[in-house]
Amino acid sequence: MQKLAIPSPVERIRFEGREYFLKRDDRIHPDFSGNKARKFYHWLEGEFPDIRKVVSYGSVQSNAMYSLSVLAKMRGWEFAYFVDHIPTWLRKNPIGNYRAALENGTVFYEKTDIKKGKGGKEVLFVEEGGRQPEAEEGIRLLAREIVEWQERNGIEVLTVFLPSGTGTTALYLQKNCSLLTAHSSLTTKVVTTPCVGDARYLRRQFAMLESDEKLWPTVLDTRKKYHFGKLYREFYRLWLELYRQTGVEFDLLYDPKGWLTLFEKKMWESGGEILYLHQGGLKGNESMLPRYRRKYPELDNEF
Ligand SMILES: *Cc1c(COP(=O)(O)O)cnc(C)c1O
């Protein structure tokens, strides 16, 4: 197996006339990257002689599903994944995360009740999107990389920005950055925006993982409500613009909402430097991009 490229690199990008730092967690490994590599790090690095099989559930194009299929393949485990429904067109023409997971040997179960806790110690059960305490191990490493980089570069006040799904990454990142900087002059503030539900949903997610609210990230949201997985013109336009100006391919599901929030809230006015966390997810673009192209062909011609 190819080694994980951690610490991941930090680059400087310029977008709409302003400079940002970009932490490239998408560069950790060609197949096992982004925040899922951080969240599943515990099971990649530890010793688990009893585990034979991974069981999880969620959407049929989930980034977490794809990363788990890679993890299972790397470790020689079976991978069973439960979904509500696989559309017939997708079954006939697999694409994106679904195709990649199939190629890694994932066995899909449709409309079957998932039996949590069954199968004993041979079975590793992973919550949807990897929302569970084991995720903290890899995210603690990420926090350490960020704070050490901040220290080396003499950045007193740093805002780390990232869009959230379950909020697991943002929560454990803020918690560990706070603990690491508790006795130093550095401030490391984690700011996020909800992509799946609203701010209340996101805070409920935080509460499930950490009871001390002082360790929670700051949640900001856009005025307009966006629904997860829906295609918005302003999202695609922003994504194309990001690519044109920075040369970086961002994810199409979370990052447009992230950058939109950053702009709407004028994050640069909060003082200090901004570090945007690239959380990977590019395999998912294989299915999102054709949908965007079909829906807004005129934007492709503009760029
Ligand atoms: C999974 C994922 C997220 C959301 O991560 P959470 O820890 O669930 O908040 C954000 N961006 C990308 C690219 C992802 O794959």
Side-chain angles (χ1 to χ4, degrees):
M1 182 199 118
Q2 192 182 323
K3 273 185 61 119
L4 302 186
I6 46 179
S8 64
V10 176
E11 293 172 355
R12 232 178 215 287
I13 53 167
R14 197 174 170 79
F15 184 54
E16 300 293 352
R18 286 195 177 78
E19 295 230 334
Y20 302 89
F21 292 102
L22 182 65
K23 176 104 173 132
R24 303 295 303 262
D25 268 13
D26 57 316
R27 294 269 184 83
I28 289 176
H29 186 276
D31 306 308
F32 194 66
S33 72
N35 71 345
K36 303 309 180 291
R38 302 288 188 180
K39 287 160 94 167
F40 301 143
Y41 182 83
H42 172 81
W43 291 296
L44 185 68
E45 291 292 308
E47 297 288 332
F48 304 96
D50 295 325
I51 295 176
R52 299 272 177 277
K53 184 177 183 176
V54 184
V55 175
S56 190
Y57 66 101
S59 96
V60 74
Q61 283 293 12
S62 145
N63 292 340
M65 168 197 74
Y66 165 64
S67 295
L68 281 175
S69 79
V70 174
L71 171 72
K73 194 174 160 190
M74 281 172 164
R75 304 228 48 163
W77 298 335
E78 289 171 47
F79 180 35
Y81 190 76
F82 291 73
V83 292
D84 260 358
H85 175 62
I86 304 170
T88 309
W89 63 265
L90 181 62
R91 210 187 271 281
K92 284 188 183 143
N93 296 295
I95 188 173
N97 286 323
Y98 174 69
R99 177 168 78 183
L102 274 179
E103 284 168 357
N104 287 335
T106 306
V107 181
F108 284 87
Y109 295 90
E110 232 182 323
K111 286 190 174 155
T112 326
D113 269 347
I114 184 165
K115 295 177 190 70
K116 296 187 187 182
K118 284 273 167 72
K121 58 185 182 177
E122 295 203 341
V123 175
L124 164 63
F125 181 81
V126 179
E127 289 289 348
E128 180 170 18
R131 176 179 52 76
Q132 53 193 75
E134 288 89 343
E136 186 167 4
E137 188 176 322
I139 299 168
R140 189 181 299 123
L141 271 185
L142 170 61
R144 212 173 284 159
E145 286 175 29
I146 290 173
V147 171
E148 278 170 10
W149 169 86
Q150 188 184 346
E151 226 161 23
R152 258 198 325 276
N153 288 277
I155 300 169
E156 282 289 309
V157 180
L158 181 70
T159 300
V160 183
F161 192 92
L162 70 161
S164 278
T166 65
T168 310
T169 310
L171 175 81
Y172 285 137
L173 192 57
Q174 179 65 81
K175 177 184 168 187
N176 284 280
C177 285
S178 295
L179 297 175
L180 285 165
T181 55
H183 303 290
S184 80
S185 63
L186 301 182
T187 304
T188 316
K189 184 175 167 188
V190 176
V191 179
T192 190
T193 186
C195 296
V196 173
D198 58 8
R200 280 186 54 209
Y201 156 85
L202 194 54
R203 292 197 182 94
R204 277 201 303 276
Q205 301 284 307
F206 294 162
M208 281 193 258
L209 296 169
E210 172 60 55
S211 57
D212 185 355
E213 292 185 26
K214 287 197 289 297
L215 298 173
W216 291 5
T218 303
V219 179
L220 299 177
D221 208 353
T222 46
R223 277 182 300 272
K224 178 172 164 181
K225 165 116 189 81
Y226 293 98
H227 296 276
F228 190 59
K230 275 183 89 172
L231 310 182
Y232 298 95
R233 172 185 293 274
E234 58 267 42
F235 278 12
Y236 190 37
R237 176 171 257 292
L238 185 53
W239 183 87
L240 287 165
E241 197 61 68
L242 275 162
Y243 188 68
R244 196 170 67 93
Q245 293 185 31
T246 68
V248 178
E249 182 183 350
F250 285 89
D251 137 280
L252 272 163
L253 213 50
Y254 299 90
D255 286 326
K257 173 81 188 284
W259 281 101
L260 209 62
T261 308
L262 199 151
F263 269 76
E264 210 178 288
K265 299 294 172 189
K266 298 193 171 65
M267 287 291 309
W268 50 85
E269 288 181 354
S270 61
E273 300 284 351
I274 298 175
L275 177 75
Y276 191 97
L277 182 62
H278 193 318
Q279 304 185 87
L282 300 183
K283 183 66 77 183
N285 285 359
E286 280 176 25
S287 53
M288 288 296 285
L289 194 51
R291 293 177 61 207
Y292 265 118
R293 288 207 168 121
R294 270 197 304 273
K295 185 152 184 186
Y296 304 111
E298 71 283 5
L299 286 183
D300 278 323
N301 301 331
E302 249 180 70
F303 282 85

